[in-house]
Amino acid sequence: MTAISLPVPTKSSEYLPARMINEAVYCPRLFYLMHVEGLFQRNRFTADGDVVHRRVDARVDPLALIDQIDGQENADAETDSAETETDATAQPQSVHARSVTLASDELGVIAKLDLVEAAGNLATPVDYKRGRPRRGVDGQIGAWPPERVQICLQALVLRENGFQCDRGILYFNETRQRVAIEIDDALIQLTRQAVDQARHVRELPMPPPPLVDSPKCPHCSLSSICLPDETNRCSNPNRDAATRLPTTARDEQRPLYLTTQGLYVGKKSEVLQVKQEGKLLQEVRLRELNQVNLFGNIQLSTQAIQTLCALEVPMVMFSRRGYFHGMLQGTGLKNILLRREQFRLADDPVRSLAIAKLLIEGKIRNCRVLLMRNHISPPTEIISELKRIAARLHNIQRADQLLGVEGTAARLYFGAFAGMLKPGDAPADPDAAIGAPPRWSFDFNGRNRRPPRDAINAMLSLAYSLLAKDLTVVAAAVGLDPYLGFYHLPRPGRPALALDLMEPFRPLIAESVVLSAVNNRMLTPEHFVPGGRGVFLSDSGRKAFFHAYELRMDQLVTHPLFEYRVSYRRLLEIQTRLMAQMVRGEIETFPVFVTR
């Protein structure tokens, strides 16, 4: 028996989708994010494109086109031989085939053709476009280079599969116009260069630099992932150009919190159905969700889990008391390159310490600002000492020293925390305490946990758990490993990177939520119940606290570096993506968010 050695496929020999060559010509960074990292995000332009292509999405066997044409030619030949007279002017019958997928071994490209118009051996690809054609200075309509390259690729693929193809057609849906593109030598050369360039970009260890002040960026669906202006600003702090908001200021989707024990969540059509003992309580549209948070004994159907995974909507599991157990999500980012760089960076103690010092400095400065804004009588000595501690962090040489300095700053800060609480003298409902468990005042004498022994610590623990959950979800979505950080040591079940990222946001989000809940009477002592040696939120108290937390997450804040206003929820994503860019070397240092 003779052994046969099969070639091992390499990355360079893999087929490139023709549509990705279009993106590579449009923006090499967009090509890298979509093709190498597998990222995609919808906006109104991609939604319009989906509608345009709906008609051609019915998949057709590519051999069917060839068989149909061959069959027509054979039929014509039989007719010609049977007839004594032939019509010299007779034309081959036209054939229209939609959604045809063909490949070119020479170019290493695979193309899905929206429409092929064929007559005999002559074939013309027709590509559907959402918008309108390019209009030249002379008023003539034409096409942009990415569109020309894409239609040329389709023509070359048809040629390699035995068809004669001298031109292609671009159909622009917005104006209902067809633009013919001649497949000449100059366009073929440009197209081959584009394929070579795309293959080169695919081999890069990180995305190419973003475009600079390009008009393409605001309409790009990946602008909130690419962050072109933010990346350029961080790479060049002296850059004077304004930073454009990458997406809407607030997230249109919302988290779903389910806390009632014994609930069952199923799926019907495009909604989640929440039931209790078979009775329908609520329906929630799937497209309006960005998280499903489950507290305690709540069941999900297999269909609901599969749909949420397909939509990349994470399901987050908590204990009934609010302890963060973990989450279930879809496959997420399929590119390992970013996580590989994260592991390399975490193994470098010098660089890890530098990142940790930035995060702790941001936390201390934000604690100081919160005290100055909210304290009844801001303690001058503590505020001055926090400023001195933050300024001295750059002298720290070891991680254990940083841990000690952070502990000192935390003791000073929480020593003055009670001065920011203004609960008032009387409860909101004086009769609520009759026959109820003992009531707790909102006194605060220091941080304690596991279990929290007073109402303020109970709220702080739940706020930290919610914030850690949100940053774990964001870190996983960005492609980072939430369980490997640079300051917090890795331990089983601890999302160390999420805890790193939340350090500057503890005072701005978690502790601010507690202050708002108390000072605005959103929670009262009647919202708390005893549990062993601890104090916990009641069911109604948790619902009220979730409301306070989501109000804070939706609140707009001005970014001190980029000078646009976004919600805290958007801000968490932006900062995490900037962390990812720092990890893979696109920007030199991490711009920690420090409020003014």
Side-chain angles (χ1 to χ4, degrees):
M1 181 180 293
T2 304
I4 300 176
S5 177
L6 297 177
V8 178
T10 63
K11 189 175 181 180
S12 60
S13 66
E14 294 175 0
Y15 286 112
L16 282 171
R19 180 177 176 274
M20 289 294 103
I21 308 300
N22 179 328
E23 307 296 356
V25 177
Y26 184 82
C27 172
R29 184 177 177 87
L30 177 63
F31 163 79
Y32 190 96
L33 294 176
M34 292 185 68
H35 181 65
V36 178
E37 297 194 350
L39 297 173
F40 181 75
Q41 188 159 320
R42 297 183 180 277
N43 65 1
R44 66 183 182 90
F45 300 108
T46 62
D48 290 346
D50 291 342
V51 173
V52 171
H53 285 85
R54 188 175 298 164
R55 184 182 176 191
V56 298
D57 276 345
R59 179 166 290 278
V60 174
D61 183 355
L63 296 178
L65 172 64
I66 300 174
D67 293 342
Q68 191 172 359
I69 294 173
D70 289 345
Q72 182 62 41
E73 290 177 347
N74 293 336
D76 291 342
E78 292 174 2
T79 302
D80 290 343
S81 62
E83 295 179 358
T84 56
E85 295 181 2
T86 59
D87 185 356
T89 63
Q91 298 295 323
Q93 182 179 351
S94 296
V95 175
H96 290 72
R98 299 185 182 276
S99 190
V100 177
T101 301
L102 295 170
S104 166
D105 294 330
E106 178 192 356
L107 293 173
V109 169
I110 187 168
K112 179 180 178 182
L113 288 66
D114 290 342
L115 174 66
V116 177
E117 297 175 345
N121 199 43
L122 181 64
T124 302
V126 180
D127 198 50
Y128 284 70
K129 297 298 178 184
R130 176 197 64 82
R132 58 179 62 216
R134 177 185 184 183
R135 190 168 294 277
V137 293
D138 58 354
Q140 297 295 318
I141 61 174
W144 298 96
E147 299 163 340
R148 290 168 51 82
V149 165
Q150 185 176 5
I151 199 69
C152 181
L153 276 173
Q154 296 182 8
L156 295 178
V157 168
L158 284 169
R159 287 184 181 182
E160 188 167 331
N161 284 274
F163 295 97
Q164 178 184 347
C165 184
D166 301 322
R167 67 169 191 161
I169 301 293
L170 294 170
Y171 176 78
F172 292 90
N173 187 70
E174 186 174 333
T175 59
R176 307 296 177 94
Q177 291 176 296
R178 292 165 64 102
V179 176
I181 305 296
E182 299 299 324
I183 311 301
D184 53 25
D185 292 340
L187 180 56
I188 292 175
Q189 182 180 1
L190 177 64
T191 301
R192 291 182 179 275
Q193 291 174 351
V195 174
D196 292 339
Q197 178 65 18
R199 192 162 281 113
H200 168 72
V201 171
R202 185 176 63 177
E203 304 297 331
L204 295 177
M206 70 178 70
L211 303 177
V212 178
D213 299 329
S214 172
K216 300 177 183 178
C217 296
H219 294 163
C220 177
S221 65
L222 294 188
S223 62
S224 62
I225 295 174
C226 171
L227 299 179
D229 292 352
E230 291 84 350
T231 305
N232 289 324
R233 180 67 176 270
C234 293
S235 301
N236 181 14
N238 298 322
R239 184 172 178 267
D240 294 330
T243 305
R244 296 166 292 187
L245 184 66
T247 183
T248 56
R250 289 189 175 93
D251 193 343
E252 293 84 2
Q253 297 173 315
R254 292 289 183 270
L256 174 64
Y257 291 90
L258 298 174
T259 61
T260 303
Q261 301 305 290
L263 291 179
Y264 175 83
V265 182
K267 170 189 172 288
K268 181 179 180 181
S269 186
E270 297 297 318
V271 300
L272 286 183
Q273 293 186 325
V274 182
K275 299 180 180 180
Q276 187 174 33
E277 297 179 353
K279 181 180 179 181
L280 180 62
L281 300 182
Q282 186 179 4
E283 289 187 334
V284 185
R285 289 193 179 97
L286 285 161
R287 299 290 179 180
E288 296 178 356
L289 296 175
N290 58 14
Q291 293 176 20
V292 176
N293 298 280
L294 309 171
F295 288 77
N297 179 28
I298 298 172
Q299 306 297 319
L300 267 73
S301 70
T302 304
Q303 293 83 355
I305 293 174
Q306 290 176 342
T307 303
L308 291 169
C309 285
L311 295 175
E312 297 293 338
V313 177
M315 291 149 278
V316 189
M317 283 68 172
F318 295 86
S319 70
R320 184 176 180 181
R321 301 293 189 187
Y323 179 80
F324 175 42
H325 285 310
M327 65 180 182
L328 174 64
Q329 60 177 3
T331 54
L333 194 68
K334 301 173 180 65
N335 179 26
I336 193 64
L337 298 179
L338 175 59
R339 294 194 291 278
R340 185 172 65 181
E341 292 302 318
Q342 178 187 355
F343 276 71
R344 288 173 176 170
L345 182 56
D347 284 339
D348 186 333
V350 175
R351 296 178 65 192
S352 293
L353 180 60
I355 298 170
K357 288 193 290 187
L358 290 173
L359 294 168
I360 298 306
E361 180 184 355
K363 173 186 177 181
I364 294 173
R365 293 189 183 279
N366 287 334
C367 288
R368 179 174 176 270
V369 171
L370 196 69
L371 283 175
M372 291 191 295
R373 286 182 179 176
N374 296 280
H375 203 281
I376 298 174
S377 178
T380 306
E381 291 184 2
I382 292 178
I383 289 174
S384 299
E385 183 61 22
L386 289 175
K387 183 177 181 180
R388 284 193 294 269
I389 291 174
R392 293 199 306 264
L393 284 179
H394 67 277
N395 295 324
I396 291 177
Q397 301 298 322
R398 301 196 317 270
D400 58 336
Q401 291 178 324
L402 180 60
L403 188 63
V405 171
E406 185 211 358
T408 300
R411 283 192 296 272
L412 291 171
Y413 168 69
F414 281 115
F417 191 84
M420 295 187 286
L421 297 169
K422 308 156 191 176
D425 297 328
D429 184 3
D431 298 328
I434 298 176
R439 298 173 56 229
W440 291 270
S441 63
F442 287 126
D443 294 331
F444 182 79
N445 298 312
R447 184 78 177 103
N448 58 72
R449 54 181 181 163
R450 297 177 184 174
R453 292 184 289 277
D454 58 75
I456 298 299
N457 276 289
M459 288 187 286
L460 285 173
S461 294
L462 181 55
Y464 294 146
S465 185
L466 294 175
L467 185 54
K469 171 265 298 183
D470 281 332
L471 282 164
T472 300
V473 169
V474 172
V478 167
L480 294 164
D481 190 325
Y483 292 89
L484 181 66
F486 308 108
Y487 176 55
H488 291 84
L489 295 177
R491 293 180 183 172
R494 171 197 271 185
L497 181 63
L499 297 178
D500 285 358
L501 291 166
M502 73 181 278
E503 289 295 342
F505 292 106
R506 284 177 181 264
L508 301 180
I509 296 179
E511 288 140 29
S512 293
V513 169
V514 175
L515 295 178
S516 296
V518 173
N519 297 344
N520 295 329
R521 318 296 194 269
M522 300 177 73
L523 278 91
T524 65
E526 286 71 33
H527 284 118
F528 298 86
V529 295
R533 295 185 302 111
V535 176
F536 300 94
L537 284 155
S538 65
D539 290 344
S540 61
R542 278 197 299 273
K543 292 178 182 178
F545 191 82
F546 294 153
H547 179 62
Y549 181 82
E550 291 303 324
L551 286 178
R552 184 62 174 175
M553 293 295 280
D554 279 339
Q555 186 172 339
L556 296 181
V557 59
T558 301
H559 199 292
L561 180 59
F562 308 136
E563 298 180 346
Y564 51 53
R565 288 175 63 78
V566 291
S567 68
Y568 275 106
R569 190 182 306 281
R570 286 284 191 198
L571 182 60
L572 294 182
E573 180 185 351
I574 290 171
Q575 293 299 114
T576 306
R577 293 197 180 279
L578 291 174
M579 173 66 81
Q581 293 186 358
M582 185 273 299
V583 166
R584 62 188 172 197
E586 290 191 78
I587 59 179
E588 184 175 350
T589 187
F590 177 58
V592 177
F593 181 85
V594 179
T595 191
R596 295 172 180 173

